[in-house]
Amino acid sequence: MTALLATEIDMAKDAVKDDNPLRISDQLCFALYSTSRAITKQYAILLRDLGVTYPQYLALLALWEKDGLAVQELARILELEGATTTPLLQRLEKLDLVSRQRSSEDERRVNVFLTKKGKGLRAKALKVPEALGCALGVDDKRAHKLIAQMNELKKHLE
């Protein structure tokens, strides 16, 4: 086979690749999925010192922002089903980071409160966002821009 023919075959293969609308590396969904998985793995490393998992960390973030949330409200914030939220809270209770208490105003409502240990963990957690930014090579300004872009994408899907 001549060098010219081999080059033409390679060019034809490249043209076929470029016309493939289903190439996985060109899919937004895969880029988001694989990035999310990589970030979650990085969080697992960063959260080891805190002794919590990534979903537990998210619940703590919400409670550090507003302690005493109703279980349903926490589930809404975390975008979880109630059936997923309860085991998450049970594990946090076993770690003595939160306690659940029935509301005195409405016994059907259960509120989640940080324990002293849960409140104290916040100081250690303050290092996590910066450490993740360093791992990603993203400063605060870029992080906020990325967050806004992700929220805009989500808004279109809702």
Side-chain angles (χ1 to χ4, degrees), residues 36 39-45 47-48 51-61 78 88 128 132:
S36 175
I39 289 173
T40 301
K41 284 181 185 178
Q42 186 63 41
Y43 266 113
I45 295 165
L47 297 174
R48 206 174 288 143
V52 296
T53 64
Y54 178 65
Q56 291 168 346
Y57 173 70
L58 295 178
L60 290 169
L61 285 173
L78 299 177
L88 173 65
V128 173
L132 182 68

Side-chain angles (χ1 to χ4, degrees), residues 118-133:
K119 290 175 184 175
L121 196 58
R122 185 180 185 278
K124 283 178 88 172
L126 288 170
K127 299 174 186 175
V128 173
E130 183 180 350
L132 182 68

Side-chain angles (χ1 to χ4, degrees), residues 94-111:
K94 285 182 182 176
L95 294 171
D96 190 33
L97 297 174
V98 302
S99 66
R100 290 179 291 167
Q101 300 171 11
R102 292 223 174 266
S103 170
S104 57
E105 299 159 8
D106 182 352
E107 287 190 14
R108 296 171 296 178
R109 182 178 164 153
V110 176
N111 295 329

Side-chain angles (χ1 to χ4, degrees), residues 65-85:
E65 199 170 315
K66 184 178 179 190
D67 199 10
L69 289 169
V71 172
Q72 297 86 347
E73 181 66 8
L74 182 59
R76 186 192 64 73
I77 291 167
L78 299 177
E79 299 183 20
L80 296 173
E81 298 294 323
T84 306
T85 307

Side-chain angles (χ1 to χ4, degrees), residues 21 30 44 81-82 114 143:
F30 185 72
E81 298 294 323
L114 292 161

